[in-house]
Amino acid sequence: MTHTLTLETIFPVTHDTYRLRFDKPEGFEFEPGQATLMRLDRDGWREDKHPFTMTSLPDAPHLEFTIKTYPEHEGMTEQIAKLIPGDRVIIGEAWGAITDSGPGVFIAGGAGVTPFIAILRDRARRGELQGCCLIFSNKEERDIILRDEWEEMTGLETLFTLTQEKVEGLECGMIDAEFLETHLEGFDQRFYVCGPPPMVEAIQGILKDHDVPEDRITVENA
C-alpha cells in the first residue's frame, strides 16, 4: 500500500540536512528506527524510490523525516532541499532492520544516525537512556546532525569524532578497533551500527573479533 503525504514544514538542522514534517496518513504504523521508500509526486520522479527513516515517534500526529542532501549527486536528495510546504511525496509501508532491542552502543556515520533518532527520542521520553552510548562520526563539526539534542538527553553518553577536521573537545579519526578499545568499557554490550557500507563492514569485523555474538549486533547501511 502507498500513501501520498503533503509537506507541512521544512527547515535546516545542519548546512545540508533538513527536517521535513508531513501530514500522517490514517493507519500508518511503524516502530522507532524503521524506514520507508519515498518518491516525489511530480513528473519524472515518481519511479525514483529512496529509503528514508521516520524520525518522529509512532504516536506523533505528523510524520517527520531528517534527510541529508547531496546536491552534487543531482538526484532525489537535491530535490528534497528544494521542496516547499504543499509539495507531495509518496511512501510505502514501514520496514527496516534497526529497531530497539535494548540499551547499547549506537555507532553512526553521517546520515547513518537517522535510524537512531526515534529510538533514542523514545527512550529519552521514557527515561530509559541509562546504558546507551552514541558514537557519531562525521567529516566536520558542522556535519553533526542534532548535536544539541543528543547532548541534552539525560542518561545518554555521547562521543563525537571527526575525520577531516580537528576541533577542541571532539575526537579526531576513524572509528577503528583502537578507538573502540579506548573509549568502551568493554564489548559485552549490544551494538547498533549504521553508516556507509565500508564503515559498517569494518565495525562488524571489529565486533566479531572481540567475540560479540551476532545476535547482539544490529546493522544497516546508510
Side-chain angles (χ1 to χ4, degrees):
M1 178 183 293
T2 61
H3 307 274
T4 300
L5 313 180
T6 301
L7 181 63
E8 296 177 344
T9 62
I10 177 171
F11 57 91
V13 295
T14 73
H15 66 103
D16 62 0
T17 302
Y18 295 82
R19 176 180 294 154
L20 299 90
R21 286 185 175 174
F22 296 88
D23 61 317
K24 185 177 182 180
E26 184 177 352
F28 184 81
E29 298 182 352
F30 65 96
E31 294 183 47
Q34 288 190 314
T36 185
L37 288 175
M38 179 187 293
R39 47 202 167 114
L40 304 179
D41 187 18
R42 60 175 60 167
D43 292 345
W45 293 94
R46 291 188 182 90
E47 303 305 316
D48 190 10
K49 302 178 183 179
H50 291 262
F52 296 113
T53 304
M54 283 73 70
T55 53
S56 50
L57 297 180
D59 58 358
H62 56 262
L63 278 184
E64 175 190 287
F65 297 85
T66 304
I67 300 177
K68 186 178 179 69
T69 62
Y70 302 88
E72 68 276 12
H73 293 177
E74 298 183 353
M76 181 172 172
T77 64
E78 179 196 27
Q79 297 295 310
I80 289 286
K82 299 175 182 178
L83 293 179
I84 61 174
D87 285 342
R88 300 189 304 177
V89 301
I90 302 167
I91 65 169
E93 296 302 317
W95 56 271
I98 294 184
T99 54
D100 191 349
S101 299
V105 180
F106 295 79
I107 302 175
V113 78
T114 54
F116 304 150
I117 294 175
I119 291 175
L120 295 175
R121 283 176 173 171
D122 187 45
R123 284 191 160 270
R125 72 171 178 175
R126 291 187 280 119
E128 297 180 359
L129 281 172
Q130 196 66 35
C132 292
C133 173
L134 173 64
I135 301 177
F136 192 8
S137 175
N138 287 276
K139 293 179 180 179
E140 300 178 354
E141 184 179 19
R142 67 176 187 158
D143 298 322
I144 302 175
I145 297 170
L146 301 180
R147 178 180 178 180
D148 290 345
E149 183 173 350
W150 302 130
E151 293 180 330
E152 291 170 2
M153 284 187 177
T154 302
L156 178 66
E157 181 183 353
T158 58
L159 183 59
F160 304 111
T161 184
L162 307 177
T163 60
Q164 296 184 9
E165 184 181 30
K166 291 185 178 180
V167 176
E168 185 177 355
L170 301 181
E171 295 295 324
C172 182
M174 307 283 287
I175 303 175
D176 55 16
E178 182 180 1
F179 185 98
L180 294 176
E181 290 164 1
T182 299
H183 294 287
L184 294 179
E185 293 184 2
F187 287 82
D188 186 19
Q189 306 184 61
R190 179 173 298 280
F191 290 85
Y192 302 83
V193 186
C194 187
M199 171 189 170
V200 171
E201 184 177 349
I203 292 176
Q204 273 186 287
I206 294 167
L207 298 179
K208 290 177 181 178
D209 288 343
H210 286 78
D211 298 321
V212 180
E214 287 190 13
D215 62 1
R216 288 196 177 185
I217 304 173
T218 301
V219 302
E220 192 165 279
N221 293 323

